[in-house]
Amino acid sequence: MDLTPYISRLREDLAATASAGDDQTRRTAAVLSAALEPSVRLALMNALADLAAEVTTQLPGHVVDVRLDGRDVRVVVTGAAGPGHDRG
């Protein structure tokens, strides 16, 4: 899952809000959004990991993991197939 579109949307929202201010306000918003990107990315990954843990509690015999793949996250579901389920 590419988190970039979500982070870009936050940047756009901040820029739109700052557009009501003067040039200094817009520059400050641009600098802040760039500085906050790593923190926002980490917060989103933590939220996804918490969601995966919650889903895992609802899926007996399965584990949902969120794994970092470069700057993207991957959702991986593992577990034994039950009777009547083909895993091939």
Side-chain angles (χ1 to χ4, degrees):
M1 169 182 242
D2 182 8
L3 298 178
T4 303
Y6 303 98
I7 295 168
S8 294
R9 180 62 193 183
L10 288 171
R11 284 183 140 183
E12 292 168 9
D13 289 348
L14 181 58
T17 301
S19 70
D22 59 12
D23 285 340
Q24 181 60 38
T25 302
R26 289 187 288 278
R27 284 192 297 273
T28 301
V31 169
L32 284 172
S33 67
L36 284 173
E37 182 175 341
S39 180
V40 169
R41 189 173 295 276
L42 181 60
L44 287 171
M45 288 189 295
N46 285 336
L48 290 170
D50 289 347
L51 175 65
E54 190 171 321
V55 170
T56 294
T57 65
Q58 300 297 313
L59 293 174
H62 292 80
V63 175
V64 180
D65 288 315
V66 175
R67 298 179 184 169
L68 186 59
D69 182 13
R71 293 177 58 105
D72 295 339
V73 292
R74 300 281 178 242
V75 176
V76 178
V77 180
T78 56
H85 292 88
D86 183 15
R87 297 208 83 192

